[in-house]
Amino acid sequence: MIFAPDTEVALRTVVNLINSAANGEEHLATVEQLDAFLEAEGFSGSRTRDEAELASIHALRRELAEVWEADEDTAVATVNRLLRDASALPQLIKHDGWDWHLHATTREAPLSDRMSTEAAMALVDIIRSKEMDRMLVCAAEDCDAVVLDLSRNRSKRYCDTGNCANRAHVAAYRARQAATSS
């Protein structure tokens, strides 16, 4: 394990949120799609379930996508602003089958504040551990999805949104076969 379990969950949620708009596709176009996303991510707490909430999550997604490829100073400035804007106050919480973990907002805070704070707290761990190089963009030429490399040997290069790794491996195999048969 590289990070605490709740940090890894938050980081995977950030990846999934950013990738919900990868490759020109929109997977959070409706409040219902946001509901399904939050359910799949195990994200609880108060909700307004309206277009304004959806728009706030789209704005957060854009900010997090920028942080993903930012240099350390820019990432720190954004993370600090996200925490400040949400009036974050870290505290240990137990809920929904989770043991003690950090929350920095209340369950009643707006969804975008809760999601941005969870993301910012996870990014804090990445930044202070000097692990920003684990935040990647998919190595496939035709993919702009992000990748979180939590492997021990830092070998993950392809996203989980499709078959990017498989397509790359098949192409490399075919290239090798063509080179040996020439």
Side-chain angles (χ1 to χ4, degrees):
M1 174 174 58
I2 298 167
F3 300 105
D6 58 318
T7 298
E8 288 189 15
V9 168
L11 290 169
R12 285 191 176 101
T13 297
V14 170
V15 168
N16 292 337
L17 179 62
I18 294 169
N19 288 345
S20 69
N23 302 315
E25 296 180 24
E26 176 58 72
H27 295 283
L28 293 180
T30 66
V31 172
E32 293 74 23
Q33 287 176 321
L34 177 58
D35 288 344
F37 174 84
L38 296 170
E39 177 71 26
E41 296 298 322
F43 217 90
S44 60
S46 69
R47 296 279 313 285
T48 59
R49 289 186 169 79
D50 60 17
E51 292 299 319
E53 183 177 70
L54 180 62
S56 70
I57 299 309
H58 287 172
L60 173 61
R61 179 176 62 192
R62 283 188 298 278
E63 285 185 287
L64 294 174
E66 289 172 10
V67 168
W68 206 261
E69 296 187 68
D71 61 67
E72 184 177 79
D73 290 339
T74 303
V76 167
T78 302
V79 164
N80 284 340
R81 186 187 48 72
L82 289 172
L83 292 170
R84 226 180 7 262
D85 289 353
S87 300
L89 180 61
Q91 46 197 303
L92 287 168
I93 304 288
K94 249 188 200 185
H95 68 89
D96 297 329
W98 283 87
D99 202 353
W100 293 112
H101 61 284
L102 278 175
H103 273 258
T105 59
T106 66
R107 292 174 57 86
E108 295 76 29
L111 177 63
S112 62
D113 284 355
R114 291 193 327 273
M115 288 185 76
S116 66
T117 302
E118 292 284 325
M121 295 292 291
L123 290 167
V124 162
D125 282 353
I126 286 216
I127 293 167
R128 44 184 210 151
S129 299
K130 300 292 186 194
E131 297 285 357
M132 286 185 67
D133 58 342
R134 292 181 179 277
M135 299 165 50
L136 309 166
V137 174
C138 183
E141 291 179 16
D142 61 343
C143 184
D144 64 2
V146 299
V147 176
L148 176 64
D149 182 6
L150 295 178
S151 66
R152 290 169 90 173
N153 63 357
R154 297 175 183 262
S155 60
K156 186 167 183 168
R157 295 291 171 255
Y158 297 97
C159 71
D160 297 326
T161 63
N163 296 316
C164 292
N166 189 46
R167 285 185 292 119
H169 293 130
V170 167
Y173 172 78
R174 288 183 179 153
R176 286 190 307 274
Q177 293 300 336
T180 59
S181 63
S182 298

